[in-house]
Amino acid sequence: MDNVEVSSADIARIAGVKPTAVSNWRRRHDDFPTPVGGTDRSPRFDLAEVEEWLSTHRSVPSIDPDQRLWQVMDSLRGSAPVEDLLGLVGALALHLRDHPDASSEDPAALVATALDGFETRLRASGSVCLADHRPVPVPDTLLPALVETTVRAVAESGPAPVMERMSRRAEQRSPAGSHNLPPDLADLMVHLSGGGALTDPACGGGEVLVAGARAGHAPLRGQDRDRATLWLTALRLAFADSLDERVELRVGDALREPAFTSGPADSVVTAPPFGERNWGLEDLVEDTRWVHGLPPRLESDLAWVQHSLSQLRPGGTAVLLMPPAAAQRPSGRRIRRSLLRSGAFRAVVSLPSGFAAHYAVPLQLWVLRRTDETTAPTPLLLVDTEPTDPEEIQLPEDVIDRIRGLWGDFHDSPESFGEVPGTARAVAPVELLDEEVDLTPRRHLPPPRSSARDLDLFSRRRVEMERSLRSLRSLLPEVPETLPEAAPTPVVTLGELAKAGSVTIRRHRARRPEEEGGPQVQARVLTPQDVVRGTPATRTELVDADPMRNPPLREGDVVIPVVTERPLARVITSEDAGAHLHGGLYVVSTNPAAVDPWFLAGFVSSEAERGHIARVSSSVRGSLRLEPQRFRLPVLSIQEQRSHGERFRRVERFRRALRELQELGAELADQAVDLAVELTTDRTTRR
C-alpha cells in the first residue's frame, strides 16, 4: 500500500469523525503520521500509516474495499488521468470476472494479461483504434497498490458493481455539461428510436449503446472525441457481454470527422455536448450535411441534429437530448422552420427539471426522421412532463412510463391521438410555422382541465372548511388571567450554552476541493423560504452523503435563517426529520436535559427578544444577518422551560391550522368564482 495518499477529509470519512477532529489529532498526538505531500493548508498522508495509527488509537475497522480502491485511484491522479485509471481498473475487473483464479502475485503480469485480453475483444469487435491505444501506464512503484485494492474490491463486491461504482464516482468529478445519461433515460431514448442498426455519434460513457444492446439493436456503432471515455464505453459493453463483431467504436469528433459515412443507420440516438462555440463552423461551411441551413456559431445543437439525420437511411429515426433553448432561439428558427416543412419532426418531449444529471433545466427529447420528396406530412407529438403543481414530486419511473404510453398511443395513430390537457397534443407542422417557430411544448398545449365543474370536490372542500373552522376555534390561544410582575431575569447567550455543551450550533458548508468526489444522495432539503412560509421541505437535490460532515435534521432541532427580515426559529418535527440543511440556515441542536427546543424557538421569535437580536445582528439591504451565538435565553430550570415551551408549541399548532385554513379557503373561493363564471357564460350549466 505504499505511496497511497489521503487528505484530512479522507481520514475523517474513514474514521467517521468531522475534519476538525483530524486537525485536533495532529496537534495533540506527536505520533500522528507526518504529511507526505500536498501543501501546508491541504496536506496529504500515507494511507498505510494512517490506518495503522487509527487502529492503535481509535479502534477504527478496516476501510471498505470500494472506498480503499477509490482512495488509491485518487492518490494516483498525478501519475495518470482518472479516466485512464478507471479504464485500467475496468480491464482488470473484467479479467478477474472471466478468470476468478488469476494470481495477483505479479501485479505487472496480471495487468498485462488483462489488457491483452481486452484488446483481443476490441479487435474482434472492429474497434481496432481503441486496441492500439492503451490507458496511460501507471508507474511500476504504484501499480501494486492499484492491483491489490482492485482484486480485494472485486472479491468483496463483484467485478461489474466495482466498475459501476468507480464510474459513478468519476462522473461526480465531471464538469457541468458532461452528458452521462441515467440508464432509464437511455432506455427510453432507444425505445423511441425503433429498432435495427443504431449509431451514437457522441457516445460519451456509452449508456445509449449499452441500452441499445439491452434492447437487441444490432449492429451498434459509436464515436466520441475522447479516447479514454470510449475505452470505458467498450468496457461497459464487455461487462454486458455485448462487445462482439456487431459493435464498432471509433475515436474522433463526429462533426469534423464523421467516422460512419457508409451503411446508413436505422436509428441515431445521442446526447450531444451542448452550446459549443468551437464546433468547426469555419471548416464546415460547405458541408453537404446542412440540408436545412448552415447552423449558426451558437447553435452546435442544430449541427448535431443535421449530422444525425445524415447518418440515417430514409425513414430512419433520430432521438436527441437537447437543451430547451434549441427550441426557441431566434438564431435557429430558419433551421427549425425547414425541419418542420420537410416533415422531419415526430415529437418534442420536455422532461422535468433536473431529470438528467448535471442539468437543472427541463431538457427536451427531439424525435426526428429522415425525409425525402415522397414523405407525407404527419402531425408531431408535443409533450410536457413538468408537473402543473409545483409541490408535486414525480418519480423518474413514472415519468418514463407516461412518455412511453403517450408515444405508443401517438405512434399507432397520429391522426386520431386524443389530446391530454396540460400534458400532450398532436400538432400539424403548419400550426408551428409562425414568426418565432417556437417548439417549446408548453406554449402549444391546452391548459390543464379545470376542476371548477367538479361539484363533489366543491362539497368536500366546503365540509373540510367547516371542520377546519371548528378545529381552529379549539386552538385559539387562551387569555392569561394575570401577568407576573416584571422582574429582571438572568440571561445566557447561545454561545455560552454551546461552550457548556448544552447546545451545538452549525451551518451547512460547501465541500472543499479535496472533499469533492465523495458520495452524494438525492434528498429533501429544508430552505429558508420553507422556514419563513411554515411549509415542509420543498426541494429535492443531490447532497453530500457523508453523515459526519452533513448530518440530516433530527426531530427537536431548531433551525434559524441566516438572513431574514425578522428573527424567527422553527422546531423540526417528524415531517421534516431526515431532510438536509440548506446553506442559508443555522441548526441549533439542544441537550434536552438542559435546554427545551420549543422554549428556545419561541423566545427567539418573540417581540421581547427581537429588539436585542436586531441590535447584535448586521444589516443586509434591509434584512438582518443573524448570529445565533449572540442570542439570549432567560436562565430558567428545565421544568419552567418545558412549561413555557408547551405554550409555544400550542401557538405553533394554531399558526399551522391558520395557514391550512387560509390555503383551503383560497381553493374554495377560487372554485366558487370559477363556478359563478361558468354559470354566467355556459348555457349548459344554467338551470
Side-chain angles (χ1 to χ4, degrees):
M1 293 300 300
D2 296 337
N3 302 306
V4 179
E5 299 177 5
V6 290
S7 67
S8 296
D10 297 327
I11 298 173
R13 275 194 292 271
I14 293 168
V17 298
K18 295 181 179 179
T20 52
V22 179
S23 299
N24 290 334
W25 295 343
R26 292 184 64 196
R27 287 194 300 268
R28 292 168 48 197
H29 297 278
D30 294 336
D31 61 342
F32 191 86
T34 56
V36 296
T39 64
D40 290 340
R41 296 189 63 181
S42 182
R44 298 185 70 81
F45 305 86
D46 182 270
L47 178 59
E49 294 180 5
V50 168
E51 281 193 281
E52 182 179 355
W53 189 89
L54 289 174
S55 64
T56 302
H57 293 75
R58 309 294 300 179
S59 300
V60 173
S62 299
I63 305 174
D64 173 80
D66 281 358
Q67 174 68 18
R68 180 190 293 271
L69 175 56
W70 179 252
Q71 293 293 169
V72 172
M73 292 174 60
D74 190 52
S75 71
L76 298 180
R77 281 187 298 155
S79 304
V82 68
E83 293 81 7
D84 285 277
L85 293 170
L86 186 56
L88 187 60
V89 167
L92 182 55
L94 184 66
H95 179 74
L96 293 172
R97 185 197 71 171
D98 298 335
H99 304 86
D101 298 327
S103 172
S104 59
E105 293 184 2
D106 186 344
L110 179 60
V111 168
T113 301
L115 290 174
D116 288 343
F118 187 56
E119 287 174 4
T120 300
R121 291 173 183 256
L122 290 171
R123 295 182 190 281
S125 73
S127 304
V128 178
C129 62
L130 287 179
D132 294 335
H133 294 279
R134 290 190 175 193
V136 173
V138 175
D140 292 341
T141 56
L142 305 177
L143 192 61
L146 185 64
V147 171
E148 177 190 340
T149 51
T150 301
V151 170
R152 192 179 301 180
V154 167
E156 180 77 18
S157 305
V162 166
M163 177 64 185
E164 283 307 309
R165 289 171 189 160
M166 295 304 107
S167 296
R168 285 198 298 271
R169 288 198 179 218
E171 287 170 5
Q172 289 175 359
R173 293 198 171 196
S174 300
S178 163
H179 56 281
N180 298 308
L181 293 179
D184 52 357
L185 179 56
D187 286 333
L188 172 64
M189 294 172 67
V190 169
H191 173 76
L192 297 177
S193 73
L198 183 147
T199 297
D200 184 350
C203 62
E207 284 293 353
V208 164
L209 295 177
V210 174
R214 283 195 293 264
H217 283 254
L220 299 171
R221 302 191 296 186
Q223 182 174 358
D224 198 89
R225 67 187 66 166
D226 186 76
R227 188 267 315 155
T229 301
L230 204 59
W231 182 280
L232 299 182
T233 295
L235 280 169
R236 279 198 167 105
L237 287 166
F239 273 106
D241 295 319
S242 300
L243 186 65
D244 52 31
E245 69 279 357
R246 296 170 297 175
V247 173
E248 184 177 359
L249 302 176
R250 298 286 188 88
V251 180
D253 186 329
L255 290 183
R256 289 184 170 90
E257 301 172 337
F260 307 115
T261 55
S262 61
D266 297 301
S267 57
V268 172
V269 183
T270 190
F274 299 158
E276 292 189 319
R277 292 175 178 269
N278 185 27
W279 56 270
L281 173 63
E282 294 81 1
D283 302 327
L284 301 172
V285 171
E286 303 296 332
D287 200 288
T288 58
R289 287 173 290 178
W290 315 140
V291 174
H292 300 282
L294 178 66
R297 180 180 299 279
L298 298 181
E299 294 280 358
S300 63
D301 318 302
L302 296 182
W304 283 104
V305 166
Q306 295 193 74
H307 169 75
S308 298
L309 291 174
S310 74
Q311 301 285 293
L312 291 168
R313 61 166 176 78
T317 301
V319 182
L320 293 91
L321 185 68
M322 299 286 284
Q328 59 185 355
R329 281 196 199 103
S331 56
R333 60 188 164 204
R334 179 170 53 88
I335 294 176
R336 295 195 298 271
R337 180 177 286 111
S338 177
L339 289 166
L340 283 169
R341 284 175 172 164
S342 71
F345 269 105
R346 298 283 285 129
V348 178
V349 179
S350 183
L351 300 171
S353 302
F355 194 77
H358 299 302
Y359 300 110
V361 296
L363 298 180
Q364 295 174 353
L365 294 178
W366 285 19
V367 184
L368 306 106
R369 60 179 172 176
R370 182 166 182 175
T371 59
D372 55 27
E373 60 277 1
T374 65
T375 303
T378 58
L380 64 142
L381 177 66
L382 298 179
V383 177
D384 186 358
T385 58
E386 194 77 48
T388 54
D389 181 1
E391 303 294 326
E392 180 183 351
I393 298 176
Q394 299 187 107
L395 296 176
E397 55 267 29
D398 293 338
V399 176
I400 297 289
D401 289 344
R402 191 188 321 159
I403 295 172
R404 282 177 177 259
L406 291 168
W407 173 254
D409 294 342
F410 171 81
H411 188 269
D412 292 341
S413 181
E415 302 291 348
S416 60
F417 179 80
E419 66 180 31
V420 182
T423 299
R425 178 187 172 208
V427 182
V430 69
E431 291 187 43
L432 305 175
L433 292 173
D434 56 14
E435 184 177 347
E436 295 180 347
V437 198
D438 189 340
L439 305 183
T440 305
R442 178 159 290 190
R443 285 200 57 181
H444 307 284
L445 296 177
R449 186 172 288 113
S450 170
S451 61
R453 288 175 176 267
D454 191 341
L455 298 182
D456 289 337
L457 175 61
F458 186 80
S459 297
R460 289 196 302 272
R461 282 174 170 167
R462 195 172 186 281
V463 169
E464 182 67 16
M465 185 74 177
E466 292 172 343
R467 186 199 64 78
S468 295
L469 284 168
R470 290 193 297 271
S471 175
L472 186 67
R473 182 180 295 275
S474 68
L475 292 172
L476 279 171
E478 298 290 341
V479 179
E481 296 180 2
T482 60
L483 287 174
E485 292 291 333
T489 305
V491 295
V492 63
T493 66
L494 290 190
E496 291 168 333
L497 290 172
K499 289 180 181 178
S502 298
V503 302
T504 59
I505 304 170
R506 70 176 176 88
R507 178 182 175 186
H508 174 64
R509 63 170 181 82
R511 293 191 295 183
R512 298 170 182 167
E514 66 267 20
E515 297 166 347
E516 292 296 331
Q520 291 184 300
V521 64
Q522 197 82 14
R524 294 180 302 138
V525 174
L526 187 71
T527 68
Q529 293 76 18
D530 298 330
V531 174
V532 171
R533 292 193 298 257
T535 58
T538 56
R539 184 183 300 181
T540 301
E541 59 185 44
L542 278 175
V543 301
D544 188 348
D546 190 324
M548 302 305 299
R549 188 169 53 242
N550 186 31
L553 292 168
R554 297 177 303 176
E555 195 168 349
D557 283 344
V558 180
V559 290
I560 302 169
V562 175
V563 178
T564 180
E565 293 183 1
R566 63 180 184 85
L568 74 159
R570 170 169 156 187
V571 179
I572 296 300
T573 58
S574 57
E575 71 175 349
D576 279 328
H580 282 73
L581 193 68
H582 184 274
L585 292 171
Y586 292 105
V587 60
V588 181
S589 300
T590 69
N591 176 354
V595 178
D596 181 76
W598 285 98
F599 172 71
L600 190 159
F603 201 79
V604 167
S605 304
S606 70
E607 186 67 36
E609 185 63 7
R610 197 167 295 162
H612 168 73
I613 292 176
R615 287 194 299 274
V616 300
S617 303
S618 56
S619 178
V620 182
R621 296 179 181 176
S623 297
L624 297 174
R625 180 177 289 277
L626 305 183
E627 298 181 38
Q629 293 85 348
R630 305 175 73 176
F631 292 1
R632 304 179 308 181
L633 283 183
V635 178
L636 300 176
S637 68
I638 189 62
Q639 290 78 14
E640 290 177 296
Q641 291 183 45
R642 288 170 181 163
S643 175
H644 291 301
E646 185 56 36
R647 292 191 183 94
F648 294 138
R649 189 197 296 258
R650 287 199 298 270
V651 171
E652 183 56 34
R653 292 196 196 104
F654 175 71
R655 288 184 193 275
R656 174 164 298 199
L658 199 59
R659 285 193 296 267
E660 292 175 354
L661 183 68
Q662 184 178 11
E663 292 173 3
L664 183 60
E667 292 173 352
L668 184 65
D670 287 344
Q671 189 177 2
V673 168
D674 291 340
L675 279 171
V677 169
E678 293 204 10
L679 285 168
T680 303
T681 59
D682 191 340
R683 295 177 181 275
T684 62
T685 61
R686 296 183 185 177
R687 296 182 182 273

